Amino acid sequence: LTGGLEARWQPMAWLRVNGVTGLDFASRTDQSITPPGLIPDPDRRAIGNATSNPYSLYTYTNNLNATASYNVASDITAQTAVGGQYVGERLRGTQAFGEGFAGGTGSVGGTTSGFAVAAQNSDVITIGGYVQQQLAWRDKVFLSGALRGDDNSAFGQDFSFIYYPSASVWWVVG
């Protein structure tokens, strides 16, 4: 399941604000059944076994940015953009295993021995933000500089934002 919502707002002729939010959801179940007697094995595989591993995966995204466009001089225009991002990833899963089937059963719930159960739960959050400045001379020569910072909960508490600077110059020929 994938869903999203976008909102655009232009409160002034020179200012645009854009927000996007979304949810991605996936559900998966991995199951296997080895019936009793299918694999003759002195190491107990002859009694049969079953596994059931259901997982739910959620990804939440939120982006918000604003761009201001203005004139610096008669032939120089500028754009200043700022924005932020939030991504939350949630995983919920269970692994179940059992051996030896009770008569008439064929699932982990019908096993009689060798039980093993584990759970996997994780929440990972990434947040980021950026600021970008662009200058244009007569729509021919452009200069841009930006700085983005990101942090992720999987890096631990002692890990701070990582910054990514960017700079570019380009010329439109023609």
Side-chain angles (χ1 to χ4, degrees):
L1 170 70
T2 299
L5 179 65
E6 180 177 5
R8 297 178 186 181
W9 180 43
Q10 189 165 356
M12 295 171 233
W14 54 271
L15 180 62
R16 294 184 323 267
V17 180
N18 189 44
V20 179
T21 187
L23 166 67
D24 293 337
F25 170 73
S27 178
R28 143 185 140 205
T29 301
D30 302 330
Q31 292 182 313
S32 72
I33 296 174
T34 304
L38 182 67
I39 302 173
D41 186 346
D43 294 330
R44 297 180 35 109
R45 288 193 193 121
I47 63 174
N49 61 60
T51 61
S52 179
N53 305 327
Y55 282 88
S56 295
L57 305 113
Y58 303 85
T59 302
Y60 307 93
T61 58
N62 297 290
N63 296 293
L64 181 64
N65 60 60
T67 303
S69 302
Y70 50 94
N71 292 324
V72 175
S74 62
D75 54 356
I76 298 176
T77 60
Q79 282 191 341
T80 303
V82 296
Q85 180 179 50
Y86 168 92
V87 177
E89 297 172 289
R90 172 174 278 185
L91 169 68
R92 298 291 182 260
T94 304
Q95 300 92 33
F97 175 83
E99 296 177 318
F101 289 103
T105 64
S107 71
V108 173
T111 58
T112 60
S113 63
F115 302 111
V117 177
Q120 184 176 2
N121 298 302
S122 69
D123 291 297
V124 177
I125 296 172
T126 304
I127 58 171
Y130 75 94
V131 60
Q132 179 179 3
Q133 182 64 53
Q134 179 179 308
L135 298 172
W137 177 70
R138 297 185 181 175
D139 282 335
K140 295 280 185 194
V141 179
F142 297 86
L143 172 65
S144 178
L147 182 65
R148 179 176 175 92
D150 289 311
D151 197 3
N152 184 290
S153 64
F155 294 157
Q157 291 180 338
D158 296 333
F159 203 85
S160 60
F161 269 79
I162 296 176
Y163 294 99
Y164 306 95
S166 169
S168 59
V169 176
W170 65 100
W171 171 38
V172 177
V173 180

